[in-house]
Amino acid sequence: MDAIYRRKWAAAAMAAGLALAGCGMPGAPLPPSLNLPQPVKDLSAVRAGDQVTLHWTVSKRNTDKLLQKGNVQARVCSRQSAGGVCATVATLQLAPGAKGAFSETLPAALAAGAPRVLTYFVELENRKGRSAGLSNGAVVLAGKAPPPVTGLTAEMSKRGVVLHWNPVAGAGKLSTTAVRLRRILLTPPAAKPQTGMLAPAPEPVQQNLLVPAGVTPGRALDPNIQFGATYEYRAQRVVRVTVAGKTLELAGASSSAVRIHAINSFPPEVPTGLAAVATPALNGAPPSIDLSWRPDAETDVAGYVVYRRQEGGPWQRISPAQPVVGPAFDDVRVQLGRTYVYAVSAVGRNGLESARSSTARETVPKP
């Protein structure tokens, strides 16, 4: 028993000694942190007129994945050619995790001449001025920007919103530059949007409409609108240049905004193709004149109204008070041997009625 006890005591003592050694003895030394901010990866740049605006995000951690403490310095620079010097244009102090933004007016030399590539970078530096490298490059075009759009107006038409602006002087009958129209939906979305497979897709809050060069200058139609909504439009001229297989844009300054409430104050199109065919009295059934016409392709048509007159007489409405839904109507209030003249009109969901169609004439045959 003494031997067994001594062996157990020795094993316990050894385990305790190892535990104490692990707590008291230092492990392998860790390399010191350089505290270099992680490089920016989401830099974006937009040029409008002679103004360039940058946006990016400052990482919360350094390259050792440790949380950064205190502000970091963001050096903004631009480079005109690959491999060239990235010239500093500004330095900013930003907190870790902050959204960075910078805007500058291009120097006269960069705002003139032919379109050419200009690349911006952001470099985050620690307190010792050291960094882990430049951000991703954000490319814009230097060079002379197209002139701003002036005189922008908006008006409603049956087909949508018609926009007008002043064309460039000397442009002739066709535009030499593209125009981008930026549309914002100002009407708040419905509290309970429709759901299901047949529900319409929700209208985007912001959309762009590009009017290409080579079209009639100073005019565009936006047909993709919803009646009852309110929209805001801005316009800017755009020069499109292909560089290394990529299409880049040099945009002029944005115009002043115009707003329009899309009210449907237009009647439907006039119905066409009206035809009248007489049916004689058969088997005790009264005679009639069957009318048919081409249905309107418009989605806002509520129905049709049928009119009739006799030779030399006034027009009278012979259809019910509610518009006729389909493009057909049977007139059973006719007399044998009489000649009747017919016309139809379309009624919109807004209650407005179109002009009457071309007439159709038919005589009820005598037996």
Side-chain angles (χ1 to χ4, degrees):
M1 291 296 293
D2 291 342
I4 294 173
Y5 178 81
R6 285 196 296 271
R7 284 197 298 271
K8 289 183 178 181
W9 184 87
M14 182 178 294
L18 291 174
L20 291 173
C23 293
M25 296 180 62
L30 296 175
S33 174
L34 297 177
N35 196 29
L36 300 178
Q38 290 184 1
V40 170
K41 298 179 180 179
D42 62 349
L43 179 65
S44 63
V46 175
R47 178 182 174 183
D50 292 338
Q51 199 79 9
V52 176
T53 302
L54 309 178
H55 289 95
W56 69 91
T57 305
V58 178
S59 174
K60 295 181 179 180
R61 299 180 181 273
N62 59 24
T63 54
D64 297 314
K65 299 182 179 181
L66 301 175
L67 290 174
Q68 298 189 93
K69 297 180 180 179
N71 290 345
V72 298
Q73 178 167 282
R75 183 178 76 92
V76 181
C77 62
S78 63
R79 189 165 64 194
Q80 299 187 48
S81 60
V85 175
C86 196
T88 300
V89 295
T91 54
L92 308 171
Q93 296 292 324
L94 298 171
K99 297 292 185 181
F102 171 74
S103 183
E104 76 158 342
T105 301
L106 287 176
L110 294 177
R116 54 199 184 274
V117 171
L118 179 64
T119 307
Y120 283 85
F121 299 89
V122 170
E123 185 177 26
L124 301 181
E125 300 174 342
N126 62 14
R127 295 179 181 179
K128 296 182 179 180
R130 298 177 179 177
S131 79
L134 298 175
S135 68
N136 62 296
V139 178
V140 298
L141 287 176
K144 185 177 180 180
V149 172
T150 59
L152 181 66
T153 61
E155 63 181 4
M156 287 304 305
S157 76
K158 188 171 181 57
R159 297 173 56 199
V161 176
V162 180
L163 297 129
H164 296 273
W165 59 90
N166 297 328
V168 176
K173 295 183 178 180
L174 296 180
S175 173
T176 57
T177 58
V179 173
R180 171 170 285 107
L181 298 166
R182 300 186 183 275
R183 188 188 83 185
I184 298 177
L185 174 65
L186 299 179
T187 307
K192 292 184 178 180
Q194 299 182 36
T195 58
M197 295 182 61
L198 300 180
E203 184 176 8
V205 174
Q206 183 169 335
Q207 286 185 300
N208 291 332
L209 173 65
L210 184 66
V211 183
V215 300
T216 303
R219 184 184 184 279
L221 170 69
D222 182 7
N224 300 316
I225 58 96
Q226 293 185 12
F227 287 116
T230 301
Y231 300 96
E232 179 181 277
Y233 292 87
R234 294 179 186 269
Q236 59 183 160
R237 289 190 171 86
V238 176
V239 174
R240 310 188 86 189
V241 179
T242 301
V243 178
K246 294 184 178 181
T247 300
L248 303 176
E249 294 184 350
L250 177 53
S254 292
S255 69
S256 300
V258 295
R259 293 185 178 184
I260 187 168
H261 183 52
I263 299 176
N264 183 4
S265 58
F266 305 94
E269 297 292 336
V270 177
T272 60
L274 177 63
V277 178
T279 300
L282 295 173
N283 301 324
S288 65
I289 294 179
D290 300 330
L291 304 172
S292 63
W293 56 91
R294 296 189 186 95
D296 274 12
E298 299 167 291
T299 59
D300 62 338
V301 174
Y304 303 91
V305 178
V306 181
Y307 294 92
R308 184 187 76 179
R309 69 180 176 88
Q310 297 187 48
E311 292 291 348
W315 285 105
Q316 293 181 333
R317 176 173 177 163
I318 61 172
S319 58
Q322 292 298 322
V324 177
V325 176
F329 182 80
D330 292 339
D331 183 10
V332 296
R333 295 179 295 175
V334 296
Q335 297 179 16
L336 298 176
R338 294 286 183 91
T339 299
Y340 300 93
V341 181
Y342 296 91
V344 295
S345 64
V347 179
R349 299 188 188 279
N350 56 6
L352 299 178
E353 183 179 352
S354 74
R356 287 193 289 266
S357 68
S358 299
T359 59
R361 184 190 309 268
E362 182 65 318
T363 301
V364 181
K366 293 181 179 181

